[in-house]
Amino acid sequence: MRGVVRARLGRVAAAAGVVMLAGCTPPPTDGTLIADPYESTNRRIHELNKGVDAGVLRPGAQVYEAVTPTLVTFLVRNGLSNLELPVYAANQLLQGRPMDALSTAGRFGLNTVFGAGGLLDPATEFGLPMRRADFGETLFVWGVREGAYLELPFLGPSTERDAAGLLVDFLMNPTTYFTGFVIESPATEVLLGLRGSDLLAFRAENSELLEQLFYQSTDSYTEVKNAFVQVRRRELGVETTPEDALPDIFADPAEDDG
């Protein structure tokens, strides 16, 4: 299982290398939504990702939904979300949001101590809601350009800026170093299993929309690209297109970004 984590890092690192070497591709000037100079490669990766979905995630999600109690899904999602909080707090500090960082740190401490290690969420009742933050957002705050569109193997749609951010978030996450990436740990299989089950739960919950995007559209690559870019820009407060009412298919429905 450790090799899966390392392979994931390698794929993200390869995508991040584009932004590091090229300084981000300039925005398009031909009226398109986003620069896509790697379209040929992106489309091949998109077909790979669709194959993984069709062969693994879609049938796995159907089985998971049929046999897994809702309570188990709820507890797993809470626990995994709690583990991400140190990364959110670090990014909030880097973005110059110390009060948000303090709130996120308080949420982590409260849920860890009084919420059974994060399986429960008493922090929300105490006025400490979930506020996500990632290093792609941090780079945006620092003025780094979005760059070109990328589709990452197994990780899906991204941009040059967000791919670099994904790598940094991975390295900032404390669990990275205790799940087989650096230190041998019996938690490796447990954590990867939990993340896998959460992915299947996400696939099941968003089945209808994902079916439309992947299998019912005339060009699923373009549909996924446009949906991701528009949602991501909206998350960052960049309203450059009229489609600002698109559903956020990439958000965790249990989280409150408020």
Side-chain angles (χ1 to χ4, degrees):
M1 298 300 289
R2 189 173 48 172
V4 174
V5 178
R6 288 180 177 173
R8 172 175 172 142
L9 176 61
R11 290 189 291 271
V12 177
V18 176
V19 70
M20 295 175 182
L21 293 175
C24 276
T25 303
T29 58
D30 59 358
T32 57
L33 185 64
I34 185 173
D36 193 1
Y38 318 115
E39 181 174 357
S40 178
T41 299
N42 282 337
R43 284 186 177 274
R44 288 196 292 271
I45 295 173
H46 178 72
E47 291 304 313
L48 169 66
N49 289 340
K50 278 183 65 176
V52 171
D53 181 76
V56 179
L57 296 182
R58 180 163 59 173
Q62 292 169 347
V63 173
Y64 182 88
E65 186 177 35
V67 303
T68 306
T70 302
L71 178 61
V72 172
T73 299
F74 173 79
L75 294 176
V76 168
R77 174 156 295 160
N78 278 351
L80 291 175
S81 295
N82 195 63
L83 293 176
E84 300 295 328
L85 291 175
V87 177
Y88 298 165
N91 277 299
Q92 287 158 353
L93 279 177
L94 292 171
Q95 293 171 24
R97 298 159 52 193
M99 297 308 297
D100 283 347
L102 183 62
S103 173
T104 298
R107 177 182 175 85
F108 177 72
L110 187 60
N111 280 352
T112 300
V113 175
F114 298 104
L119 297 179
L120 303 177
D121 182 19
T124 296
E125 297 299 321
F126 281 86
L128 298 172
M130 174 73 78
R131 292 187 174 92
R132 292 175 293 164
D134 58 73
F135 198 74
E137 179 184 5
T138 299
L139 291 174
F140 166 75
V141 171
W142 290 354
V144 176
R145 291 181 298 190
E146 179 180 60
Y149 178 74
L150 296 174
E151 178 137 0
L152 306 178
F154 308 109
L155 300 177
S158 187
T159 64
E160 291 176 322
R161 180 177 64 203
D162 281 339
L166 185 59
L167 171 61
V168 174
D169 284 337
F170 182 83
L171 294 174
M172 285 198 302
N173 195 325
T175 65
T176 295
Y177 302 95
F178 295 94
T179 53
F181 176 63
V182 174
I183 301 173
E184 288 286 353
S185 169
T188 302
E189 286 76 13
V190 173
L191 183 60
L192 292 178
L194 291 175
R195 292 193 185 282
S197 65
D198 189 53
L199 178 60
L200 293 178
F202 171 86
R203 179 59 176 84
E205 290 169 1
N206 294 276
S207 177
E208 182 177 354
L209 181 55
L210 292 175
E211 289 290 321
Q212 292 175 358
L213 284 173
F214 284 154
Y215 307 111
Q216 298 174 19
S217 60
T218 57
D219 183 358
S220 62
Y221 170 76
T222 298
E223 293 287 344
V224 169
K225 176 176 69 173
N226 289 346
F228 172 79
V229 171
Q230 291 166 11
V231 167
R232 181 56 168 162
R233 289 176 180 175
R234 188 182 64 194
E235 289 176 347
L236 298 175
V238 180
E239 298 292 352
T240 59
T241 65
E243 296 86 351
D244 54 8
L246 287 173
D248 188 350
I249 66 171
F250 304 99
D252 183 337
E255 293 181 355
D256 178 3
D257 290 335

